[in-house]
Amino acid sequence: MADNERVDDISFPHLGPLLSAEGQSLLAVLRDHDPAQELAVATRLRREHPAELVSAALAQARLRQRAVTKFGAEDAYRMYFTPNGVEQSTRRSVAAYRAARFRDIGPVQVTDLCCGIGGDAIALAREGFVVDAVDLDPLTAESALVNVCTVVEGTPLITVSCTDVMEYDLNGTEAVFIDPARRGGRGGGRIFDPEAYSPPLSWAIDAVRRVGTGAIKIAPGIPHELVPEDFEAEWISDAGDVKEAVLWHDEGRPEVITPGTRRATLLPSGATLVGRGLPDPEVRPVGRYLYEPDGAVIRAHLVAEVAEELGGGLLDPTIAYITADELRPTPYATAYEITDELPFNLKKLKALLRERGVGNLTVKKRGSAVEPEEVRRKVKPRGPNAATVFLTRVAGAPTMLIGGPVG
């Protein structure tokens, strides 16, 4: 089946040239092209194809190469992107997880507001939802429709509307997903004020409440006091990197969506930790093991839950490192065995590392102003062995902890 077989009977004023047989041929040729050789490739292709089409195909080929890390090669090389779409779209693993949570809630139809190039719409369609996607930008809306119809097997039930989401009629919507734009200005810099999102967070919260069931994708750094009491807040990491936070709301299924709770979910395992309102852990001396909580756990303020699970405490009341005497398995933190505890002193660190022949040095810091690259430059690690040094504070004192990951 050709990539555009299911959209041949629809007019696409923006993507039409790339969807043509000639455009598809160019995209196939450029799939694995080397961007460093792009000028020579463009010169050669323009001898046989219109210059404007070659430029469009080259731009799309570059975007597809960038998108592989988010969508995987199989999807990325069949999809159509905009620069903002690549940057702001949800990665496939996170979108699939969120679509599965919508399935647990139980709606049949989901309206995807600010759908972008369709990352979440694809995941929802793959779960079998009827999807109504909305985006203000015409090229982006076109891309979303083509992408869903291209990469989703069978015949996905999707409509795409090009309109302002704040004017879109939500009557009849069973559930809504909103992904407000969080970049703006000429440079596309991040927007940190939720009320400066497009649409504003307050509008999105009101829209979800009106529908009754829904989710809002937000920046993971959102202050906890901005989370409404009738929403559940979930922080999601993928392979250790915090990707986003989501505000969930449902009026009828508290066993699935629990208002007022915080949750940390770690992908790809799917391990989920739900907050229980525990007090801050006690500060204690350095034990044999140091645990570095996953970023989603830290953002969700659930370090206390992990510390209780590990029978540990904190090195310092303001730093999210857990220390314990026993090694206990947990998906929510990475364990390190600590061999040395020293006051901060780079000369002493250099001497210790040289004595032990450490050339493979990992430097982690939390609560220290010293940058890891500065440490590597000054200690000049050499040798066949490996070690990890933590630059942190222990009961307020600048400290170096040396050890290595367990296992």
mmCIF file of all heavy atoms in Angstrom, residues 275-304:
data_model
loop_
_atom_site.group_PDB
_atom_site.id
_atom_site.type_symbol
_atom_site.label_atom_id
_atom_site.label_comp_id
_atom_site.label_asym_id
_atom_site.label_seq_id
_atom_site.Cartn_x
_atom_site.Cartn_y
_atom_site.Cartn_z
ATOM 1 N N GLY A 275 1.227 9.114 45.211
ATOM 2 C CA GLY A 275 1.528 9.765 46.472
ATOM 3 C C GLY A 275 0.537 9.415 47.567
ATOM 4 O O GLY A 275 -0.646 9.209 47.306
ATOM 5 N N ARG A 276 1.055 9.364 48.807
ATOM 6 C CA ARG A 276 0.211 9.061 49.966
ATOM 7 C C ARG A 276 0.289 10.162 51.015
ATOM 8 O O ARG A 276 -0.122 9.963 52.160
ATOM 9 C CB ARG A 276 0.628 7.721 50.577
ATOM 10 C CG ARG A 276 0.298 6.539 49.669
ATOM 11 C CD ARG A 276 0.711 5.207 50.270
ATOM 12 N NE ARG A 276 2.153 4.997 50.158
ATOM 13 C CZ ARG A 276 2.974 4.859 51.187
ATOM 14 N NH1 ARG A 276 2.504 4.944 52.419
ATOM 15 N NH2 ARG A 276 4.257 4.661 50.995
ATOM 16 N N GLY A 277 0.853 11.313 50.616
ATOM 17 C CA GLY A 277 0.905 12.430 51.541
ATOM 18 C C GLY A 277 1.856 12.240 52.696
ATOM 19 O O GLY A 277 1.605 12.732 53.805
ATOM 20 N N LEU A 278 2.964 11.543 52.469
ATOM 21 C CA LEU A 278 3.923 11.279 53.542
ATOM 22 C C LEU A 278 4.711 12.540 53.889
ATOM 23 O O LEU A 278 4.969 13.385 53.033
ATOM 24 C CB LEU A 278 4.896 10.180 53.121
ATOM 25 C CG LEU A 278 4.307 8.794 52.830
ATOM 26 C CD1 LEU A 278 5.416 7.821 52.449
ATOM 27 C CD2 LEU A 278 3.534 8.273 54.036
ATOM 28 N N PRO A 279 5.138 12.667 55.136
ATOM 29 C CA PRO A 279 6.003 13.797 55.507
ATOM 30 C C PRO A 279 7.392 13.618 54.910
ATOM 31 O O PRO A 279 7.769 12.521 54.479
ATOM 32 C CB PRO A 279 6.036 13.727 57.033
ATOM 33 C CG PRO A 279 5.782 12.283 57.344
ATOM 34 C CD PRO A 279 4.828 11.796 56.293
ATOM 35 N N ASP A 280 8.172 14.687 54.906
ATOM 36 C CA ASP A 280 9.532 14.607 54.376
ATOM 37 C C ASP A 280 10.345 13.579 55.145
ATOM 38 O O ASP A 280 10.215 13.468 56.381
ATOM 39 C CB ASP A 280 10.222 15.969 54.474
ATOM 40 C CG ASP A 280 9.602 16.995 53.541
ATOM 41 O OD1 ASP A 280 8.950 16.588 52.565
ATOM 42 O OD2 ASP A 280 9.780 18.208 53.790
ATOM 43 N N PRO A 281 11.220 12.818 54.471
ATOM 44 C CA PRO A 281 12.046 11.828 55.166
ATOM 45 C C PRO A 281 13.027 12.508 56.119
ATOM 46 O O PRO A 281 13.398 13.671 55.947
ATOM 47 C CB PRO A 281 12.800 11.133 54.022
ATOM 48 C CG PRO A 281 12.049 11.474 52.784
ATOM 49 C CD PRO A 281 11.437 12.811 53.016
ATOM 50 N N GLU A 282 13.452 11.775 57.111
ATOM 51 C CA GLU A 282 14.440 12.289 58.040
ATOM 52 C C GLU A 282 15.819 12.335 57.373
ATOM 53 O O GLU A 282 16.118 11.563 56.468
ATOM 54 C CB GLU A 282 14.509 11.405 59.289
ATOM 55 C CG GLU A 282 13.250 11.456 60.151
ATOM 56 C CD GLU A 282 13.414 10.644 61.425
ATOM 57 O OE1 GLU A 282 14.482 10.018 61.589
ATOM 58 O OE2 GLU A 282 12.469 10.641 62.241
ATOM 59 N N VAL A 283 16.655 13.240 57.855
ATOM 60 C CA VAL A 283 18.043 13.312 57.409
ATOM 61 C C VAL A 283 18.868 12.357 58.259
ATOM 62 O O VAL A 283 18.705 12.305 59.490
ATOM 63 C CB VAL A 283 18.584 14.752 57.539
ATOM 64 C CG1 VAL A 283 20.054 14.813 57.164
ATOM 65 C CG2 VAL A 283 17.765 15.696 56.673
ATOM 66 N N ARG A 284 19.763 11.602 57.615
ATOM 67 C CA ARG A 284 20.565 10.614 58.329
ATOM 68 C C ARG A 284 21.973 10.571 57.763
ATOM 69 O O ARG A 284 22.239 11.101 56.679
ATOM 70 C CB ARG A 284 19.912 9.239 58.253
ATOM 71 C CG ARG A 284 19.567 8.777 56.839
ATOM 72 C CD ARG A 284 19.626 7.279 56.719
ATOM 73 N NE ARG A 284 21.007 6.802 56.835
ATOM 74 C CZ ARG A 284 21.343 5.513 56.917
ATOM 75 N NH1 ARG A 284 20.395 4.591 56.883
ATOM 76 N NH2 ARG A 284 22.607 5.156 57.000
ATOM 77 N N PRO A 285 22.916 9.941 58.453
ATOM 78 C CA PRO A 285 24.280 9.839 57.934
ATOM 79 C C PRO A 285 24.330 8.996 56.655
ATOM 80 O O PRO A 285 23.422 8.213 56.365
ATOM 81 C CB PRO A 285 25.047 9.155 59.076
ATOM 82 C CG PRO A 285 24.219 9.391 60.295
ATOM 83 C CD PRO A 285 22.804 9.443 59.826
ATOM 84 N N VAL A 286 25.415 9.155 55.928
ATOM 85 C CA VAL A 286 25.584 8.412 54.687
ATOM 86 C C VAL A 286 25.673 6.918 54.983
ATOM 87 O O VAL A 286 26.475 6.482 55.819
ATOM 88 C CB VAL A 286 26.859 8.877 53.948
ATOM 89 C CG1 VAL A 286 27.056 8.058 52.676
ATOM 90 C CG2 VAL A 286 26.775 10.358 53.631
ATOM 91 N N GLY A 287 24.837 6.153 54.298
ATOM 92 C CA GLY A 287 24.881 4.704 54.430
ATOM 93 C C GLY A 287 25.688 4.075 53.307
ATOM 94 O O GLY A 287 26.360 4.753 52.528
ATOM 95 N N ARG A 288 25.595 2.785 53.198
ATOM 96 C CA ARG A 288 26.376 2.063 52.185
ATOM 97 C C ARG A 288 25.869 2.361 50.780
ATOM 98 O O ARG A 288 26.634 2.330 49.813
ATOM 99 C CB ARG A 288 26.319 0.563 52.461
ATOM 100 C CG ARG A 288 27.130 -0.270 51.474
ATOM 101 C CD ARG A 288 27.117 -1.733 51.850
ATOM 102 N NE ARG A 288 27.844 -2.540 50.857
ATOM 103 C CZ ARG A 288 27.988 -3.856 50.917
ATOM 104 N NH1 ARG A 288 27.454 -4.526 51.948
ATOM 105 N NH2 ARG A 288 28.634 -4.506 49.975
ATOM 106 N N TYR A 289 24.581 2.668 50.661
ATOM 107 C CA TYR A 289 23.991 2.850 49.333
ATOM 108 C C TYR A 289 23.378 4.246 49.197
ATOM 109 O O TYR A 289 22.825 4.807 50.147
ATOM 110 C CB TYR A 289 22.909 1.793 49.065
ATOM 111 C CG TYR A 289 23.472 0.395 49.059
ATOM 112 C CD1 TYR A 289 23.365 -0.419 50.191
ATOM 113 C CD2 TYR A 289 24.140 -0.101 47.941
ATOM 114 C CE1 TYR A 289 23.906 -1.699 50.203
ATOM 115 C CE2 TYR A 289 24.675 -1.374 47.944
ATOM 116 C CZ TYR A 289 24.560 -2.165 49.071
ATOM 117 O OH TYR A 289 25.107 -3.419 49.072
ATOM 118 N N LEU A 290 23.511 4.783 48.008
ATOM 119 C CA LEU A 290 22.859 6.039 47.638
ATOM 120 C C LEU A 290 21.885 5.730 46.514
ATOM 121 O O LEU A 290 22.231 5.022 45.560
ATOM 122 C CB LEU A 290 23.885 7.078 47.199
ATOM 123 C CG LEU A 290 23.337 8.463 46.791
ATOM 124 C CD1 LEU A 290 24.344 9.544 47.144
ATOM 125 C CD2 LEU A 290 23.024 8.531 45.291
ATOM 126 N N TYR A 291 20.678 6.264 46.633
ATOM 127 C CA TYR A 291 19.652 6.067 45.611
ATOM 128 C C TYR A 291 19.334 7.413 44.957
ATOM 129 O O TYR A 291 19.050 8.393 45.660
ATOM 130 C CB TYR A 291 18.374 5.494 46.212
ATOM 131 C CG TYR A 291 18.512 4.077 46.717
ATOM 132 C CD1 TYR A 291 18.960 3.826 48.020
ATOM 133 C CD2 TYR A 291 18.185 2.991 45.912
ATOM 134 C CE1 TYR A 291 19.078 2.524 48.498
ATOM 135 C CE2 TYR A 291 18.299 1.692 46.384
ATOM 136 C CZ TYR A 291 18.744 1.463 47.671
ATOM 137 O OH TYR A 291 18.860 0.182 48.138
ATOM 138 N N GLU A 292 19.389 7.433 43.636
ATOM 139 C CA GLU A 292 19.050 8.634 42.873
ATOM 140 C C GLU A 292 17.642 8.445 42.297
ATOM 141 O O GLU A 292 17.451 7.681 41.352
ATOM 142 C CB GLU A 292 20.053 8.850 41.751
ATOM 143 C CG GLU A 292 19.808 10.102 40.944
ATOM 144 C CD GLU A 292 20.835 10.272 39.829
ATOM 145 O OE1 GLU A 292 21.393 9.256 39.353
ATOM 146 O OE2 GLU A 292 21.062 11.426 39.432
ATOM 147 N N PRO A 293 16.625 9.110 42.846
ATOM 148 C CA PRO A 293 15.256 8.921 42.355
ATOM 149 C C PRO A 293 15.107 9.366 40.899
ATOM 150 O O PRO A 293 15.791 10.287 40.427
ATOM 151 C CB PRO A 293 14.416 9.796 43.283
ATOM 152 C CG PRO A 293 15.258 9.971 44.510
ATOM 153 C CD PRO A 293 16.666 10.002 44.018
ATOM 154 N N ASP A 294 14.216 8.703 40.194
ATOM 155 C CA ASP A 294 13.877 9.113 38.829
ATOM 156 C C ASP A 294 13.339 10.537 38.843
ATOM 157 O O ASP A 294 12.704 10.974 39.811
ATOM 158 C CB ASP A 294 12.827 8.154 38.261
ATOM 159 C CG ASP A 294 12.480 8.456 36.812
ATOM 160 O OD1 ASP A 294 11.557 9.276 36.594
ATOM 161 O OD2 ASP A 294 13.126 7.900 35.915
ATOM 162 N N GLY A 295 13.579 11.273 37.755
ATOM 163 C CA GLY A 295 13.153 12.661 37.678
ATOM 164 C C GLY A 295 11.658 12.843 37.848
ATOM 165 O O GLY A 295 11.209 13.850 38.415
ATOM 166 N N ALA A 296 10.856 11.887 37.369
ATOM 167 C CA ALA A 296 9.405 12.006 37.534
ATOM 168 C C ALA A 296 9.015 11.915 39.002
ATOM 169 O O ALA A 296 8.097 12.594 39.467
ATOM 170 C CB ALA A 296 8.691 10.926 36.721
ATOM 171 N N VAL A 297 9.720 11.076 39.751
ATOM 172 C CA VAL A 297 9.466 10.963 41.192
ATOM 173 C C VAL A 297 9.779 12.276 41.884
ATOM 174 O O VAL A 297 9.020 12.748 42.749
ATOM 175 C CB VAL A 297 10.324 9.823 41.785
ATOM 176 C CG1 VAL A 297 10.260 9.841 43.309
ATOM 177 C CG2 VAL A 297 9.864 8.475 41.245
ATOM 178 N N ILE A 298 10.892 12.898 41.502
ATOM 179 C CA ILE A 298 11.284 14.166 42.122
ATOM 180 C C ILE A 298 10.290 15.260 41.774
ATOM 181 O O ILE A 298 9.832 16.018 42.643
ATOM 182 C CB ILE A 298 12.702 14.556 41.674
ATOM 183 C CG1 ILE A 298 13.710 13.526 42.186
ATOM 184 C CG2 ILE A 298 13.067 15.947 42.182
ATOM 185 C CD1 ILE A 298 15.108 13.721 41.644
ATOM 186 N N ARG A 299 9.926 15.352 40.488
ATOM 187 C CA ARG A 299 8.977 16.392 40.073
ATOM 188 C C ARG A 299 7.619 16.229 40.749
ATOM 189 O O ARG A 299 6.940 17.214 41.050
ATOM 190 C CB ARG A 299 8.795 16.327 38.554
ATOM 191 C CG ARG A 299 10.007 16.723 37.755
ATOM 192 C CD ARG A 299 10.171 18.227 37.696
ATOM 193 N NE ARG A 299 11.127 18.626 36.672
ATOM 194 C CZ ARG A 299 11.389 19.865 36.338
ATOM 195 N NH1 ARG A 299 10.768 20.859 36.942
ATOM 196 N NH2 ARG A 299 12.276 20.147 35.399
ATOM 197 N N ALA A 300 7.223 14.975 40.985
ATOM 198 C CA ALA A 300 5.923 14.721 41.615
ATOM 199 C C ALA A 300 5.972 14.863 43.132
ATOM 200 O O ALA A 300 4.948 14.685 43.803
ATOM 201 C CB ALA A 300 5.444 13.320 41.246
ATOM 202 N N HIS A 301 7.160 15.177 43.684
ATOM 203 C CA HIS A 301 7.353 15.312 45.133
ATOM 204 C C HIS A 301 7.003 14.008 45.851
ATOM 205 O O HIS A 301 6.309 14.002 46.876
ATOM 206 C CB HIS A 301 6.513 16.459 45.700
ATOM 207 C CG HIS A 301 6.896 17.800 45.176
ATOM 208 N ND1 HIS A 301 6.270 18.983 45.582
ATOM 209 C CD2 HIS A 301 7.831 18.192 44.268
ATOM 210 C CE1 HIS A 301 6.809 20.006 44.949
ATOM 211 N NE2 HIS A 301 7.763 19.551 44.137
ATOM 212 N N LEU A 302 7.516 12.899 45.325
ATOM 213 C CA LEU A 302 7.236 11.585 45.895
ATOM 214 C C LEU A 302 8.498 10.910 46.411
ATOM 215 O O LEU A 302 8.539 9.688 46.547
ATOM 216 C CB LEU A 302 6.538 10.695 44.855
ATOM 217 C CG LEU A 302 5.199 11.205 44.325
ATOM 218 C CD1 LEU A 302 4.609 10.224 43.330
ATOM 219 C CD2 LEU A 302 4.222 11.449 45.467
ATOM 220 N N VAL A 303 9.524 11.696 46.711
ATOM 221 C CA VAL A 303 10.761 11.125 47.244
ATOM 222 C C VAL A 303 10.503 10.431 48.579
ATOM 223 O O VAL A 303 11.108 9.394 48.888
ATOM 224 C CB VAL A 303 11.838 12.218 47.388
ATOM 225 C CG1 VAL A 303 13.082 11.677 48.095
ATOM 226 C CG2 VAL A 303 12.214 12.770 46.020
ATOM 227 N N ALA A 304 9.599 10.963 49.386
ATOM 228 C CA ALA A 304 9.298 10.358 50.689
ATOM 229 C C ALA A 304 8.744 8.947 50.523
ATOM 230 O O ALA A 304 9.082 8.039 51.301
ATOM 231 C CB ALA A 304 8.310 11.230 51.460
#
